[in-house]
C-alpha cells in the first residue's frame, strides 16, 4: 500500500472541522475565562482523579473508611459540576457539544478511508432434517416458556429436551446421545454456559450449532447478530438458515463462547451467596482480594501476542475472551467485531493503590491496564488450584490453566434474515485525522499499488 491519490473534499473538511471543534472544546474555557478557566480545567481533572481514588478506597476498605470514601466518590463530581455551573455554566453545555462534534466529524472523515470491519462469510445450507435442541427453562427468567420455544421447535421437527430444574443433568451427555441417534444439528436455548457445552459437542462432530437467545445477557447471540429480544426468531434457521464459521475457546479443555475470567471476579462468583446477593457478596470479599490478603497471586503468559507485553505479573483480574472485545468505542464495550479472527482477547488489570486507580482514568496508557491479543494464554499461580469463571459459571481448575482458541471450529446456523451486528464506527485516530486535514493533492487513505 501507499498513500497517493485524491482526498475527497468532504473528507478533508470533515477532518479539519473535527480538529477545530476539538481545539475549541479544550481551549474555549481558557480563552474566555483566562486564568479562572484554566484553574477550572485543572480542578476538573483533579476531581476525576480523586473520584477514581475514592472508588478504590470504597472497594478496598471496610467500615467508616469505606463509608467516607463512598461519600467522597459521590460528592467530588457533584462539587466539580456545581463549581462549573456557578462560574462558567455555558462551558458545561458548549464544551461537551463541541467535543461531540469533533468526534462525529472525525469518524465521518475516517469512515470513508475504506477501513471496514471484515464480515464473517455466510454459506447457504439446506434445512436440518433431525435437529436436536437442549432448553433450560430457568434461563432468562423463564424465556423458554414465555416465548413457547419448545412447542415452536417441535412444530418445525426438532427433538427437544427440557432440562429439569430440580435435578442436575449432564448437558454434554445429552448432546452426545443425540449425535448417536443421528441428529444432524445441535442447539441450545439458555445461557452462554449451556451454549458452550452443546457447541463443543457440535464442533467435535462437525455438526452445525443453533443459538437461541434464551439467557439473561446472551453476549454470544449478540455478536452473531441475532435478535436477543425474540429468541423464537432464531428457530427460522432450521428451515431458512445460513452458516457461519466461528472460533471456539477452551480453558483447560473446557469450552467457552465468550470469556474465561481469573482473579477477583472469579473468586467472588465462587461464593454460594453470590447468586442471591451479588453486590453484598462483592463488597464483602473485595477488600481482602484487592489488598492481596486473600486470593492467588497470578501470572499470565501470552503466547503468539502480536506486540506489546507478553506477561502479566500479579494482576488483580484477567479476562481471556474468544476474540477481542472492542476497547476504542465506549458505546461498543462488551461487543466483538468478529468471532473468526483466531485470536484470544486479553484484558488484565492491576491496581495496588488509589494513585494507580486514578491513573486508569487520567493516563492515556496506564501501567495497570493491559489490552492485548494472543493465540494462547497460560495462567499460573502460587497455589495448586485457582478459581475460574467460564462464561459466568464458577469452576476451580488445577494450575497452570491453559487457554487456547480453535479457529473456525464451530459451524453456527443462523437465520438468513436477522438484525445483524451493527457496523462499528471507526476508531478515533487523531494522528490520521490530522493527516487527512492537511492533505491537498495527496491522501492519507491507503490504496493498493498496482503490480506490473
Amino acid at each position: 500500500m501507499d498513500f497517493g491519490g485524491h482526498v475527497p473534499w468532504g473528507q478533508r473538511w470533515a477532518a479539519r472541522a473535527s480538529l477545530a471543534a476539538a481545539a475549541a472544546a479544550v481551549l474555549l474555557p481558557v480563552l474566555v475565562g483566562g486564568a479562572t478557566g484554566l484553574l477550572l480545567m485543572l480542578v476538573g481533572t483533579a476531581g476525576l482523579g480523586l473520584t477514581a481514588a475514592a472508588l478504590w478506597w470504597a472497594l478496598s476498605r471496610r467500615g467508616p473508611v469505606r463509608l467516607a470514601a463512598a461519600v467522597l466518590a459521590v460528592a467530588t463530581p457533584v462539587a466539580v459540576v456545581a463549581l462549573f455551573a456557578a462560574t462558567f455554566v455555558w462551558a458545561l453545555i458548549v464544551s461537551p457539544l463541541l467535543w461531540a462534534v469533533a468526534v462525529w466529524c472525525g469518524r465521518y472523515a475516517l469512515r470513508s478511508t475504506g477501513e471496514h470491519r471484515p464480515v464473517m462469510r455466510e454459506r447457504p445450507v439446506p434445512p436440518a432434517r433431525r435437529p436436536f435442541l437442549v432448553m433450560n427453562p430457568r434461563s432468562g427468567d423463564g424465556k423458554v416458556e414465555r416465548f413457547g420455544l419448545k412447542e415452536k421447535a417441535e412444530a418445525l421437527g426438532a427433538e427437544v429436551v427440557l432440562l429439569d430444574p430440580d435435578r442436575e443433568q449432564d448437558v454434554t451427555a445429552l448432546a452426545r446421545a443425540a449425535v448417536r441417534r443421528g441428529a444432524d444439528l445441535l442447539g441450545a436455548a439458555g445461557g452462554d454456559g449451556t451454549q458452550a457445552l452443546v457447541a463443543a459437542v457440535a464442533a467435535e462432530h462437525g455438526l452445525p450449532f443453533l443459538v437461541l437467545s434464551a439467557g439473561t445477557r446472551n453476549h454470544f447471540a449478540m455478536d452473531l447478530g441475532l435478535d436477543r429480544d425474540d429468541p423464537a426468531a432464531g428457530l427460522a434457521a432450521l428451515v431458512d438458515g445460513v452458516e457461519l464459521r466461528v472460533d471456539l475457546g477452551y480453558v483447560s479443555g473446557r469450552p467457552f463462547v465468550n470469556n474465561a475470567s481469573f482473579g477477583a471476579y472469579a473468586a467472588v462468583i465462587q461464593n454460594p451467596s453470590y447468586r442471591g446477593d451479588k453486590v453484598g457478596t462483592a463488597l464483602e470479599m473485595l477488600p481482602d482480594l484487592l489488598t492481596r490478603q486473600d486470593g492467588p497471586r497470578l501470572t499470565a503468559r501470552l503466547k503468539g501476542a502480536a506486540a506489546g507485553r507478553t506477561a502479566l505479573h500479579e494482576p488483580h483480574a484477567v479476562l481471556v475472551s474468544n476474540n477481542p472485545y472492542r476497547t476504542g468505542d465506549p458505546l461498543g464495550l462488551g461487543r466483538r467485531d468478529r468471532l473468526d479472527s483466531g485470536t484470544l482477547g486479553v484484558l488484565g488489570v492491576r491496581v495496588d493503590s488509589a494513585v494507580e486507580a486514578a491513573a486508569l482514568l487520567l493516563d492515556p496508557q496506564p501501567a495497570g491496564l493491559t489490552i492485548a491479543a494472543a493465540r494462547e494464554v497460560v495462567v499460573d499461580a502460587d497455589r495448586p488450584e485457582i478459581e475460574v469463571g467460564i462464561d459466568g459459571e464458577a469452576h476451580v481448575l488445577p494450575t497452570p490453566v491453559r487457554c487456547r482458541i480453535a479457529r473456525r471450529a464451530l459451524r453456527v446456523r443462523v437465520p438468513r434474515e436477522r438484525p445483524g451486528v451493527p457496523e462499528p464506527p471507526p476508531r478515533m485516530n487523531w494522528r490520521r485525522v490530522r493527516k487527512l486535514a492537511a492533505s491537498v493533492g495527496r491522501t492519507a487513505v491507503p490504496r493498493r499499488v498496482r503490480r506490473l
Side-chain angles (χ1 to χ4, degrees), residues 149-349:
L149 297 183
K150 182 176 185 295
E151 296 75 16
K152 291 176 181 178
E154 290 176 337
L156 293 173
E159 177 188 354
V160 178
V161 169
L162 203 63
L163 298 179
D164 189 344
D166 298 324
R167 65 187 180 94
E168 194 74 21
Q169 290 176 275
D170 190 336
V171 173
T172 300
L174 291 172
R176 285 178 175 160
V179 174
R180 290 194 296 269
R181 293 195 301 271
D184 64 346
L185 177 144
L186 301 178
D192 291 320
T194 303
Q195 301 279 357
L197 294 174
V198 181
V201 178
E204 177 186 345
H205 294 276
L207 296 177
F209 174 64
L210 176 69
V211 177
L212 297 178
S213 54
T216 303
R217 289 175 292 273
N218 298 118
H219 289 293
F220 190 49
M222 174 179 67
D223 293 330
L224 288 169
L226 300 177
D227 187 348
R228 293 190 296 167
D229 296 325
D230 183 11
L235 291 170
L238 294 176
V239 293
D240 184 24
V242 294
E243 265 187 20
L244 307 173
R245 283 276 189 173
V246 305
D247 304 333
L248 189 61
Y250 288 90
V251 50
S252 290
R254 298 172 182 265
F256 64 92
V257 293
N258 287 325
N259 56 61
S261 58
F262 305 84
Y265 172 74
V268 169
I269 66 173
Q270 301 288 328
N271 195 310
S273 63
Y274 175 75
R275 298 301 175 188
D277 184 12
K278 292 180 172 62
V279 175
T281 303
L283 290 176
E284 176 60 30
M285 296 182 64
L286 281 176
D288 291 337
L289 293 170
L290 295 179
T291 57
R292 303 191 187 278
Q293 299 177 55
D294 192 12
R297 292 184 178 261
L298 303 175
T299 299
R301 294 181 176 84
L302 283 55
K303 299 182 179 181
R309 299 174 63 179
T310 58
L312 284 67
H313 299 287
E314 298 190 2
H316 283 97
V318 178
L319 185 75
V320 180
S321 59
N322 174 13
N323 283 260
Y325 288 110
R326 292 184 196 171
T327 56
D329 177 18
L331 298 179
L333 291 178
R335 285 185 175 272
R336 291 165 288 185
D337 290 335
R338 57 188 301 185
L339 294 168
D340 60 349
S341 70
T343 57
L344 297 166
V346 183
L347 176 65
V349 179

Side-chain angles (χ1 to χ4, degrees), residues 430-441:
W430 292 107
R431 182 180 180 183
R432 191 167 183 77
V433 170
R434 288 196 301 269
K435 287 185 177 180
L436 291 171
S439 61
V440 180

